[in-house]
Structures are given as C-alpha cells and as structure tokens.
C-alpha cells in the first residue's frame, strides 16, 4: 500500500486527464464558434439567477465531472462574449488563447510571487516581463515595476509612491494630518475615476484634485494647469503630482507628455502617466511622436489586460527608479526572513506594492509577448487602429451617421435621422442613448457610450484581434437599421 493520503479534494490522475481534456475540447470549440453567438445573453438577471438555482451549499461532495460540465455550460451560455469580433464596448479585450493555457499552468504550480524564496522562477519571469514591458513602450529596461490586478491598482500603486517621494517624511511616521499643507493633484477633466478613488481612499480628499479643463484638441490645457499650480502654491498648498492621460477612456486622446514632463520638473512634481489603455500603442513607430515625453515619467500605468490581450486580471506599474516603490512599500518585520544569505539579486515583490501573497500574473503576459513578439503586437495594435479609422470614415460618409472623434482605437460617432429635419442635440442624445441600449440588448454588436463636447456618442474601442473589416461594415448597417427603427417609434409618439 502506498502512503498517499487520498484526500477528497484530490482528483485521481486518469480522471484529471479525462476531465481536463474534455474541458480543453469544449474551450477550443467555444473559441472557434464565438462569432456564431449573440454577444450577450438577453436573459434578465432574475432568469440568470434562477438558472443557477438556489441550491444550498452541499454537505458532501459531488462528482468533479458534473461540477465542471455544469460550470462550463452556465458560463458559456450566459456570459458576455468579449472575445466576439463585434464586441467593442468599454476597454475590455478579447483574451489571448495562450493566456488561457498560462492560467491553467499558473494554477498547477501556484507560486506565491510575494517573495522570491517561494517563487524562484516565477519571480524571475515577472522581473523579465516588467523589463520587456518597459522596452515595449520605448523605455529603458532599467525601469522597475510590479504587476497588479489592473489599471486602478497600477495607478494607486504609483500614486502612493509619488506621495512618499514628494511628501514630507512625517507622513510615514505620523500620517497626513500631521502635515499642515494640503497635497494637491493635477489632471485633466478627462482622467479616469481612479484619481477620485485614490484621493478619497488615501486620505487627501476629493477636493485635493484639480480637474483641469482641456483645450480644443481635448488635451489638458497647459496654461490653465500652470495657473492652478501657482494659485495653489500661493494659497499655501503643496502640489505633488501631475497625472497625464496616455489615451483617455472616452476619446483616446494623449496629453502633451513632453510639456507635462517639463512642467513637473519646473515645479518639482511627480510625473505620472496613466497609459492603462493607450500606452501599448507606443510600440508603433509612426505613433511614437504622440507619446513623445514618456521617458520623462516617474511612473506609468499600463494594462496588459487591455491592449496586450491578457485574460483578466493584469495591470502594471512602471517606475523610473524602483527605490520609490521599496521606499513606499517595504517594511521588514522579524518573521520575514526572505533574503537568501549573500544573494544580492533577491527581489521580493511584497516590498514593491500593496499585496503580500501574490498570484503569478506575469506568465500570461510573458507567454503572449513571446508568441507574437514585438512585430506581432505592432501589427495587432496597428490593425485595431486601422479598423477604428475605417469605422470613423464609414460613419463620416454615411448620411445617417455623424463621425465625432477618432484617436488610437477609439471612435465616437452618432446616429442622425435623415428626413429633412434639423434635430436638436437633446433629441439626438435621447435617440442615441436609446439606440445604445437597444444595440447592447440585441447582442449583434456591443458598443459603449461617451459624452463628447456635449454629444451623446456611440463609442467603439477596438482592442479585439478578431474584428475584421467585414465586421465594421456590418456594424454600420446594424446601427443604421436599429437607429431608424427607434427614430420611427419616437416620431409616432
Ligand atoms: C481602464 C482604465 C483604467 C482602469 O483600469 P482597470 O483595469 O479597469 O482597473 C484607468 N485608466 C485608464 C486610462 C483606463 O483606460
């Protein structure tokens, strides 16, 4: 008799293989047929809830095969398919299949990438991934960083490093209240809501944010920014960080990074770039000029789970000098003895961010970067941008559509009824809002919305390696067809 414990949680080898193979077969079919399905279920939340059933937590176990089959069916039939070629809502990408395999492997090895001692190879892979990501967007490979759950966390991680670097040390020992000056944050009015969360949660308060208006190219207005900084200094406040958009969520606009970098230096402020969505576009040589100045950044946020196609979750904070992360996040309790004697190379990621135990997010990014390489990503991202431009052109040329903006892979446009009437923005906003909801519910195409210069727009963000030119022209037809129906319905009322 062998000495195995045979715990109920164990799955016997042959059964594991059988169930695993079946699951892989189903996933392969699901991916292969993803465009045959509606993008999202038209069932209500209540229907979904009742499909799941109100079963109680079982006292004793069920067969693994049944559990896996049921979960597969529930999820495949009742999820929003962001891998569908006509999904272009929000900024959620199609997941790279190699990332799915990576996740399985990660679960098998289960390294805890909080400390190198307990994740020797995984830590090295994360270090290499960080280096590659820095090089990918044109920075020196000496940048440090850490992988986190997403853009919000990547920005938070940098925000706190900025505060440590630019604030007085009394904050670390006695807290913000011990510092009499209000520490001020500057960003354009288009900046993602993470700034709000950060200011509130980290004790600065929402009023510490100066939301600077944008100029007519939708970039942060540099004169107004400088005025705001000076006004705050005169009022006795302490400015500490400028946050630039490296592709804002509504329109994809990239701020003037070079000028912001300069201004940060002039006033001794931390310069952070939120490139969660847009910064991977810096891999494309022709787009380099848009990102001119990224090398000025003290920190950047980038989301591999957006334009690098990692399955959720994967965000990344990059910093020019890793010391700013360890200054902020490292503390050495007695019971942590994670440094191998004499091993200077040890890197313990718990000292670089908020988490202690950490999952192995790097693998899926590292694998995809190797699968397609820099050139592959250049093409993937470039094709998304070309499709977005095509959508803009087709909207521009269509009499029932108005093209509003196009940057990176985000296009904003709206439906306009053509019946000889001149419609006010109020009505156009109503019709487009109704249209968006109809389109989302219909499941043929999935867009989101943006308010651009007061206009309610249909917003498409293509971070989708399955979308084709044919999809774009079909999307145009669907939108015009549905828009006309809604306009008719609204007109007879
Ligand atoms: C998506 C996004 C975020 C938030 O990222 P999550 O991954 O959703 O947490 C922040 N900033 C920008 C510019 C984004 O595009």
């Amino acid at each position: 008799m062998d000495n195995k414990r045979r715990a109920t949680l164990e799955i016997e080898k042959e059964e594991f293989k059988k169930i695993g193979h079946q699951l892989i077969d189903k996933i392969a079919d699901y991916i292969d047929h993803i465009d045959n399905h509606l993008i999202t279920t038209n069932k209500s939340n209540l229907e979904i809830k009742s499909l799941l059933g109100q079963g109680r937590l079982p006292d004793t176990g069920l067969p693994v095969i049944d559990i896996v089959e049921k979960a597969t069916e529930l999820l495949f039939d009742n999820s929003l398919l962001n891998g569908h070629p006509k999904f272009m809502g929000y900024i959620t990408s199609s997941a790279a299949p190699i990332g799915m395999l990576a996740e399985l492997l990660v679960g098998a090895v289960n390294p805890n990438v909080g400390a190198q001692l307990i994740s020797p190879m995984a830590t090295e892979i994360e270090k290499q991934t960080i280096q590659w990501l820095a090089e990918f967007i044109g920075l020196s490979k000496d940048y440090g960083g850490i992988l986190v759950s997403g853009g919000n966390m990547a920005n938070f991680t940098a925000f706190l490093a900025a505060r440590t670097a630019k604030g007085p040390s009394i904050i670390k020992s006695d807290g913000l209240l011990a510092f009499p000056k209000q520490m001020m944050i500057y960003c354009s009015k288009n900046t993602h809501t993470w700034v709000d969360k950060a200011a509130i949660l980290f004790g600065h308060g929402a009023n510490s944010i100066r939301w600077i208006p944008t100029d007519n190219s939708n970039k942060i207005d540099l004169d107004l920014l400088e005025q705001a900084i000076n006004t705050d200094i005169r009022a006795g406040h302490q400015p500490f960080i400028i946050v630039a958009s490296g592709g804002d969520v509504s329109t994809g606009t990239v701020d003037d990074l070079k000028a912001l970098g300069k201004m940060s230096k002039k006033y001794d402020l931390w310069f952070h770039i939120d490139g969660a969505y847009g910064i991977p576009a810096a891999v494309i040589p022709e787009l380099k000029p848009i990102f001119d100045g990224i090398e000025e950044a003290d920190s950047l946020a980038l989301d591999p789970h957006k334009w690098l196609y990692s399955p959720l979750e994967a965000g990344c904070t990059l910093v020019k000098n890793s010391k700013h992360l360890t200054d902020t996040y490292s503390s050495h309790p007695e019971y942590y003895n994670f440094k191998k004697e004499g091993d200077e190379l040890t890197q313990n990621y718990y000292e670089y961010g908020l988490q202690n135990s950490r999952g192995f997010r790097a693998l899926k990014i590292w694998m995809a970067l190797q699968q397609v390489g820099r050139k592959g990503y250049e093409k993937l991202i470039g094709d998304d941008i070309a499709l977005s431009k095509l959508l803009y052109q087709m909207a521009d040329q269509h009499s029932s559509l108005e093209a509003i903006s196009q940057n990176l892979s985000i296009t904003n446009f709206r439906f306009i009824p053509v019946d000889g009437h001149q419609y006010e923005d109020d009505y156009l906003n109503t019709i487009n809002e109704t249209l968006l909801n109809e389109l989302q519910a219909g499941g043929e195409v999935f867009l989101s919305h943006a308010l651009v210069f007061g206009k309610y727009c249909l917003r498409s963000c293509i971070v989708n390696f399955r979308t084709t030119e044919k999809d774009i022209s079909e999307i145009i037809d669907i939108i015009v067809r549905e828009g006309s129906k809604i306009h008719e319905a609204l007109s007879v009322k």
Side-chain angles (χ1 to χ4, degrees), residues 171-183:
I171 293 180
K172 217 166 174 178
S173 50
D174 299 305
L176 272 182
L177 283 178
F179 183 52
K181 292 185 172 188
Q182 190 174 356
M183 294 183 69

Side-chain angles (χ1 to χ4, degrees), residues 91 149-153 155 192-194 245-249 274-278 303 305-306 312 314-315:
I91 315 184
S149 57
N152 264 32
M153 287 303 294
N155 286 306
H192 189 277
T193 56
W194 73 263
S245 283
D248 85 284
V249 284
D274 178 7
Y277 152 61
D303 252 356
H305 70 206
K306 287 179 174 165
L312 293 160

Side-chain angles (χ1 to χ4, degrees), residues 83 169 257 268 273 277 388:
S169 58
L257 304 178
D268 190 26
I273 301 176
Y277 152 61
S388 178

Side-chain angles (χ1 to χ4, degrees), residues 1-16:
M1 220 181 115
D2 65 32
N3 191 25
K4 285 190 181 165
R5 175 165 156 187
R6 303 197 192 290
T8 47
L9 210 46
E10 204 67 83
I11 303 175
E12 186 269 322
K13 179 177 157 192
E14 290 308 317
E15 190 189 1
F16 189 91

